[in-house]
Amino acid sequence: MMTASEFVLFDIPSAPCVPVAGEAGRYPVRRIFCIGKNYADHAREMGGEPDKSYPIYFTKPASAIALSGATIPYPPRTSDFHYEMEMVIALGKSVFNASPADAAAAIYGYGCGLDMTRRDLQAQAKTRGAPWDTAKAFENSAIIGALTKASDVGPIGAQRIFLQVNGETRQDAHLRDMLFSCEEIIADLSSYYHLAPGDLIFTGTPAGVGAVNVGDELAGGIDGLAPISLAIGAPD
């Protein structure tokens, strides 16, 4: 608590919030975790092999959030801006070293997400053995649609996940194709972090990722969840 002699030097934006289907309140975003290469076909299209020995994680700041329906500027320092359609888990309980049962109980809801990536910067980082931050963790790189509560979704697996660019289907798979299930991801991630309400987890993308250009319109969906859309605007 601040004393009478203390004051805040700068005002900073409040946490971004995501709408929830059927709720007046919104879900505040605390942190964003992402898992890489969680679909075998995507791992292969990126030049690797599926590996279930351990998940690959990276993070994005909460300031990366943009809501479905937005028009975002084409980002700077890239000429190879890619989409990755994903299911997003929203946590509603705190967990640490969770069992699969505890992990399942911690899920508040699910949403459609787009992990937008500066692919050329990612390739450069991989070549140098450097972090992926400039490729993954930037403004408007975590697009998310309205959340649907877990109780309204049912078991995860059979749902189709797809993405269209300018009306052409580019990604088309099912959630059962994920190498690591939602419960496995949460249980493992909670061995590294004290997870809590407000934490989002992007669960990986199926094959078919590719570049977008100014003027492109993206539309994606997952069975039973609110759809997602995005337009690519001119650079700032």
Side-chain angles (χ1 to χ4, degrees), residues 21-189:
E23 294 287 344
R26 292 190 163 219
Y27 182 92
V29 178
R30 176 173 179 252
R31 293 181 295 186
I32 303 170
F33 297 95
C34 306
I35 181 171
K37 298 183 179 180
N38 198 28
Y39 289 76
D41 287 347
H42 175 61
R44 295 188 184 99
E45 78 175 346
M46 297 303 293
E49 285 297 324
D51 186 356
K52 277 217 67 170
S53 58
Y54 63 90
I56 298 170
Y57 301 116
F58 57 93
T59 64
K60 293 174 182 269
S63 58
I65 287 286
L67 297 181
S68 175
T71 296
I72 64 169
Y74 194 95
R77 300 290 294 270
T78 185
S79 58
D80 197 19
F81 187 38
H82 278 218
Y83 57 81
E84 297 186 13
M85 178 68 192
E86 311 198 3
M87 184 183 72
V88 182
I89 302 167
L91 296 185
K93 293 182 179 178
S94 297
V95 286
F96 180 63
N97 282 327
S99 67
D102 290 338
I107 300 173
Y108 172 77
Y110 304 95
C112 291
L114 286 166
D115 166 18
M116 304 302 291
T117 304
R118 294 191 272 212
R119 190 71 73 198
D120 43 2
L121 299 190
Q122 185 185 33
Q124 293 170 18
K126 288 180 178 180
T127 299
R128 299 168 182 164
W132 293 3
D133 295 60
T134 58
K136 290 287 192 178
F138 56 96
E139 295 91 345
N140 300 312
S141 65
I143 320 302
I144 188 167
L147 299 175
T148 300
K149 290 184 287 186
S151 57
D152 296 330
V153 176
I156 296 297
Q159 293 90 343
R160 179 190 178 213
I161 177 172
F162 69 92
L163 181 75
Q164 297 178 336
V165 179
N166 300 326
E168 177 185 348
T169 300
R170 300 286 184 85
Q171 293 184 277
D172 200 344
H174 291 85
L175 298 182
R176 61 173 170 261
D177 299 331
M178 291 194 297
L179 296 176
F180 297 95
S181 69
C182 297
E183 293 79 11
E184 288 173 325
I185 294 169
I186 296 168
D188 186 70
L189 192 59

